[in-house]
Amino acid sequence: MSRLIVFDVDSTLLKVESLDFAVEHALSSAPDGAERTARLKALTDQGMAGKLDFRASLEQRLAIAGLTRPAVETARESLRAHLTDGMAELLEALRARGNDVAAVSGGFVDLVEPALNDLGFANGEIRANRFVYDGDEVTGFDRQNPLSRSGGKAPVVASLKTLFGKPLAIMVGDGMTDYEAFDKGAADSFIGFGGVAAREPVRAKAPAFADSVAELHALLLG
């Protein structure tokens, strides 16, 4: 059966969290850079484990970050070297079998688009948040985007399933925000992915869990 496979991006298609990665690069020379980066990572982990409202996590992380347009442009190019090993081959195999694939991220398209293009995703197959700028300063994010709030992946996955006209959609990801797309009925199945970051709350709820890309390949393609 032809299916739509929807992939999370950070710690799934990418072996890093893209916003954390961008901030770490931007703060590498700041006196308090290490401390701010650690605070950012803690907020990311809380959000992905379902312990912090996702919008609150975004707001707090951006407040810590202090990103600029040049920092974003530098990070987006560097992220292209941080694709999860084996994902390109898995995506190629899925497409060859007639599956459609999409990438849905609570991260920012400003950061991840080039890396996703390298993985073969057309821009129409990518859904993510967007930064709001004031000049060269990142001042926030598009609050109308459902991906900027908890539970937002469900309506996005539902709309993609309709757009692609597929009877079956499978969500793949490492976080509780990914599981929610299945729990709310938008995705017909969910595979938790722990090949980059194994989150125990996700493992406990996921109907299937892959600890590696090889295991994910077996679950999706046999």
Side-chain angles (χ1 to χ4, degrees):
M1 180 188 295
S2 180
R3 308 163 296 176
L4 171 64
I5 316 297
V6 182
F7 286 85
D8 173 47
V9 178
D10 293 340
S11 295
T12 301
L13 295 175
L14 295 178
K15 54 188 176 185
V16 294
E17 292 286 327
S18 56
L19 181 57
D20 295 9
F21 178 88
V23 174
E24 186 172 356
H25 272 243
L27 296 179
S28 60
S29 60
D32 61 346
E35 185 268 337
R36 285 163 67 185
T37 299
R39 285 166 54 203
L40 190 89
K41 185 179 185 305
L43 288 168
T44 299
D45 289 342
Q46 289 177 52
M48 290 301 98
K51 297 178 181 178
L52 180 66
D53 174 78
F54 188 71
R55 177 163 288 185
S57 169
L58 274 187
E59 291 170 341
Q60 293 178 42
R61 289 157 74 197
L62 285 181
I64 291 168
L67 285 174
T68 63
R69 196 183 300 272
V72 169
E73 291 173 354
T74 297
R76 67 190 260 124
E77 287 303 311
S78 297
L79 279 165
R80 299 173 74 177
H82 293 273
L83 306 177
T84 300
D85 295 340
M87 279 295 183
E89 292 78 8
L90 173 58
L91 290 163
E92 184 179 357
L94 286 168
R95 293 180 180 114
R97 297 268 191 99
N99 297 280
D100 283 305
V101 295
V104 174
S105 178
F108 292 86
V109 69
D110 316 63
L111 291 169
V112 302
E113 188 175 77
L116 294 178
N117 291 161
D118 289 347
L119 286 171
F121 289 96
N123 289 351
E125 297 169 337
I126 300 169
R127 300 290 186 274
N129 282 303
R130 288 187 180 275
F131 289 133
V132 171
Y133 293 88
D134 182 0
D136 274 349
E137 304 294 321
V138 174
T139 56
F141 52 88
D142 176 8
R143 291 173 175 270
Q144 300 305 309
N145 190 327
L147 292 168
S148 70
R149 57 176 171 79
S150 292
K153 286 191 177 180
V156 172
V157 171
S159 68
L160 284 168
K161 187 178 175 182
T162 300
L163 177 66
F164 283 93
K166 297 298 182 182
L168 183 67
I170 300 172
M171 184 75 210
V172 178
D174 70 296
M176 290 302 294
T177 56
D178 306 307
Y179 171 77
E180 287 171 354
F182 164 69
D183 190 47
K184 294 178 181 293
D188 301 281
S189 186
F190 171 68
I191 302 174
F193 181 66
V196 176
R199 306 187 195 279
E200 293 311 311
V202 177
R203 188 190 297 273
K205 288 183 174 288
F209 197 90
D211 281 300
S212 65
V213 175
E215 289 182 16
L216 183 57
H217 190 290
L219 287 169
L220 288 171
L221 292 170

